[in-house]
Amino acid sequence: MDKKQIDMLHQEIGILIDVPLNSVTRSADSLCLGMGNLIKCQGAIRDEQGKLVTAEVERSMLALEISCCYRIVCGNEILLAKSDLYQPAHAVQEQWALESIEEIPEDFDCEAIGNNRLDDRIKQLFSDCKDIRVSAIKVNQFGDLKLSLSNGLILSSTSDVSGEEECWRFFRRDTNQHIVVTGVGLEIDEVDDSLT
């Protein structure tokens, strides 16, 4: 990214400074952060059969979705990282120990909610986001992102592609424009707001 794109990005995501963090979740292997005021909007929920259906939901006004490499650290310790998705959750490991299973089975469904270490760590670190705010933001020429949080945690992401694939995106739910960082720079996506 050139200086103009970096400056634009800092201006756009700069609104996150001192904004409360409402939620940290994941979608597949992407980390999803919800921040700011909660608003009602169209979204998707699962019905009794597990099928996604459209419904009015309450979501954060501001959203950051990171699909490239990411990690959350505190001091010298990595508390959570993208590849934790592929490791079993503590409860799964305990069950396997009871069944004398020593290696990860080939049919292990790491993406099932609650089955993996990533879900464990997200729940452990962010089960109560109360009073957590973004205190500083840095973006470099490669699109690498660093968010310092008020509770001492640091979220960092590293652009891990050399092409036009998406690394991360930031958007407001009151507009249909998404700011997307790719391996080659910055894009503005026009998105159907009924899908966000």
Side-chain angles (χ1 to χ4, degrees), residues 21-103:
L21 180 66
N22 298 324
S23 64
V24 178
T25 59
R26 72 168 175 91
S27 176
D29 65 351
S30 295
L31 192 65
C32 306
L33 286 78
M35 294 166 272
N37 295 332
L38 296 175
I39 62 167
K40 291 186 188 262
C41 59
Q42 285 298 104
I45 60 170
R46 295 204 181 271
D47 64 12
E48 296 82 27
Q49 291 79 35
K51 182 180 175 186
L52 283 176
V53 295
T54 302
E56 186 174 84
V57 295
E58 197 170 61
R59 296 215 173 129
S60 298
M61 172 65 84
L62 307 171
L64 178 65
E65 296 178 358
I66 303 171
S67 50
C68 61
C69 289
Y70 56 81
R71 68 182 180 197
I72 295 177
V73 302
C74 185
N76 294 327
E77 185 179 359
I78 297 173
L79 303 176
L80 171 156
K82 181 175 184 171
S83 292
D84 287 337
L85 175 69
Y86 307 106
Q87 299 303 317
H90 183 71
V92 172
Q93 288 179 320
E94 287 181 335
Q95 182 61 40
W96 288 348
L98 292 173
E99 298 171 8
S100 299
I101 298 172
E102 296 179 14
E103 293 188 23

Side-chain angles (χ1 to χ4, degrees), residues 42-44 54 59 65 171 173 178 191-196:
Q42 285 298 104
T54 302
R59 296 215 173 129
E65 296 178 358
F171 58 96
R173 294 195 194 278
H178 288 205
V191 177
D192 178 358
D193 61 357
S194 67
L195 301 176
T196 61

